[in-house]
């Protein structure tokens, strides 16, 4: 059997990580909230590192409902963009370098976003993952779940609809 | 606004670390209605190419304002927490402009408060976003 040998693992990892970093670090609000993304293959997990400024009720204390909503929305948009750009990242069309230089691609726009608050957010780190339930030519439907100590005990979940950006690819 | 309400309004934001961090201010509060503002800040940009504020910051403003509307309703015993909040985004907020949310708690039972809110920028003719939410009704512990 002949053919091109598989790419060295470092090159694959570097390309994917550079694309993810470019996508996330270009957005000031993601940095301000302290959200980071961990990657396993194409699977993303968003991590919201605890900070006192994220508190909504200091007497309980509990995370602000708006922080939870924002965390879920950021996770939905980045996860959805990641899926959208995956093929381009893999075949090298996605130019991470130009992104770092501030030329971010058009991201999907939120049409609506519904948050279901299941438990109060504890004053510690939170995690979230998104599932793309439908991704059409113009619209997409994305579901996000967030948890803290136990993956099986979600503290919030959300469903949002997004408008695909106009792109010439 | 009565003196009591003015005091309540000032204390409300002062007691919420995240509302403080975002720089929110209360301009009106009482009788189940709250008006809050979020000045433009480049830290909250969601789209660096246009400078448009991230939807998440709009959500935080709307959630806080809806909670304030519940707490200042004459039938509210005190505290509240969000059960569910749906936000519809009509258009991008104009970069550089202050966002203003007006929330009404239009019905409250012993357990649940129902709220509607609308957010505009300096062009008040076309909303940036609207929200509908259900909130818990809790006794006076905490805020």
């Amino acid at each position: 059997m002949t053919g091109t040998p598989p790419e060295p693992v470092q090159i694959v990892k570097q390309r994917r990580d550079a694309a993810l970093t470019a996508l996330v670090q270009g957005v000031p609000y993601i940095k301000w909230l302290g959200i980071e993304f961990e990657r396993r293959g194409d699977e993303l997990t968003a991590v919201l590192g605890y900070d006192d400024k994220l508190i909504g009720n200091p007497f309980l204390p509990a995370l602000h409902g708006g922080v939870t909503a924002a965390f879920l929305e950021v996770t939905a948009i980045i996860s959805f963009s990641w899926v959208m750009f995956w093929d381009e990242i893999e075949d090298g069309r996605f130019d991470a370098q130009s992104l770092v230089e501030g030329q971010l691609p058009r991201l999907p726009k939120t049409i609506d976003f519904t948050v279901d608050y299941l438990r109060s957010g504890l004053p510690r780190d939170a995690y979230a993952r998104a599932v793309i339930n439908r991704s059409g030519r113009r619209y997409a439907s994305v579901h996000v779940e967030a948890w803290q100590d136990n993956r099986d005990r979600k503290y919030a979940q959300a469903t949002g609809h997004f408008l695909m950006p106009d792109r010439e690819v | 606004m009565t003196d009591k309400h003015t005091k309540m309004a000032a204390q409300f934001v002062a007691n919420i670390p995240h509302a403080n961090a975002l720089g929110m201010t209360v301009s009106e509060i009482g009788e189940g209605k709250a008006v809050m503002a979020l000045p433009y800040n480049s830290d909250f940009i969601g789209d660096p190419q246009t400078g448009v504020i991230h939807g998440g910051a709009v959500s935080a403003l709307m959630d806080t304002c809806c909670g304030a509307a519940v707490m200042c309703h004459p039938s509210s015993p005190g505290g509240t927490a969000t059960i569910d909040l749906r936000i519809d985004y009509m258009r991008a907020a104009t970069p550089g402009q202050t966002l203003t949310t007006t929330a009404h708690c239009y019905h409250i039972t012993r357990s649940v408060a129902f709220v509607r809110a609308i957010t505009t920028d300096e062009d008040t003719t076309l909303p940036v976003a609207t929200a509908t939410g259900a909130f818990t009704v809790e006794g006076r512990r905490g805020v």
Side-chain angles (χ1 to χ4, degrees):
Chain A
M1 247 186 60
T2 53
T4 44
E7 280 184 293
V9 63
Q10 300 92 327
I11 295 199
V12 175
K13 276 190 178 175
Q14 195 204 13
R15 185 177 60 229
R16 292 174 182 171
D17 289 338
L20 181 60
T21 304
L23 208 54
V24 173
Q25 294 207 331
V27 183
Y29 186 63
I30 298 181
K31 201 182 282 179
W32 186 80
L33 277 177
I35 300 171
E36 288 176 353
F37 283 81
E38 288 181 357
R39 184 187 66 79
R40 299 284 180 276
D42 71 342
E43 184 199 59
L44 296 185
T45 306
V47 182
L48 175 69
Y50 177 74
D51 189 284
D52 289 343
K53 76 177 176 197
L54 305 179
I55 289 293
N57 183 333
F59 298 95
L60 287 174
L63 293 181
H64 194 287
V67 169
T68 299
F71 179 46
L72 291 166
E73 193 174 330
V74 164
T75 306
I77 293 174
I78 294 296
S79 302
F80 177 47
S81 304
W82 181 247
V83 169
M84 211 166 71
F85 291 128
W86 179 258
D87 289 341
E88 289 174 48
I89 295 165
E90 288 306 284
D91 67 20
R93 273 178 295 158
F94 189 92
D95 181 9
Q97 191 52 42
S98 69
L99 294 191
V100 174
E101 285 156 12
Q103 291 181 307
L104 222 73
R106 305 300 304 174
L107 297 177
K109 277 196 226 165
T110 314
I111 300 167
D112 61 60
F113 203 70
T114 308
V115 185
D116 184 6
Y117 294 88
L118 305 170
R119 294 184 171 79
S120 82
L122 301 169
R124 57 189 77 148
D125 292 0
Y127 313 98
R129 277 191 203 134
V131 175
I132 320 305
N133 283 324
R134 184 178 187 271
S135 173
R137 204 164 49 82
R138 290 166 75 195
Y139 311 109
S141 176
V142 182
H143 182 76
V144 204
E145 296 182 352
W147 71 98
Q148 294 191 296
D149 299 323
N150 286 310
R151 177 64 184 91
D152 292 336
R153 284 169 64 86
K154 291 178 276 186
Y155 85 99
Q157 62 182 358
T159 298
H161 294 94
F162 297 87
L163 191 62
M164 310 285 281
D166 293 325
R167 312 183 61 221
E168 73 277 46
V169 175
Chain B
M1 261 196 326
T2 64
D3 282 352
K4 187 184 145 214
H5 281 146
T6 314
K7 219 168 145 188
M8 199 172 138
Q11 274 177 0
F12 179 73
V13 166
N15 282 335
I16 303 173
H18 189 63
N20 263 326
L22 284 165
M24 286 182 207
T25 54
V26 184
S27 38
E28 205 183 315
I29 193 165
E31 305 295 313
K33 182 190 175 191
V35 182
M36 296 185 70
L38 177 70
Y40 185 81
N41 183 329
S42 58
D43 283 344
F44 311 149
I45 290 173
D47 182 349
Q49 276 191 342
T50 57
V52 169
I53 291 298
H54 198 283
V58 181
S59 302
L61 175 66
M62 289 188 121
D63 184 68
T64 310
C65 196
C66 287
V70 174
M71 282 190 259
C72 74
H73 192 283
S75 308
S76 166
T80 187
T82 320
I83 297 171
D84 155 278
L85 189 70
R86 175 194 165 112
I87 298 179
D88 292 283
Y89 294 96
M90 265 95 261
R91 65 175 173 97
T94 306
Q97 297 191 359
T98 293
L99 294 175
T100 305
T101 297
T102 304
H104 280 109
C105 174
Y106 61 92
H107 186 65
I108 188 165
T109 73
R110 270 175 302 171
S111 319
V112 191
F114 299 89
V115 192
R116 272 193 286 258
I118 187 160
T119 297
T120 63
D121 52 21
E122 285 158 30
D123 172 7
T124 53
T125 56
L126 189 67
V128 166
T130 60
T132 50
F135 286 70
T136 65
V137 174
E138 286 164 33
R140 282 204 183 276
R141 61 186 167 94
V143 267

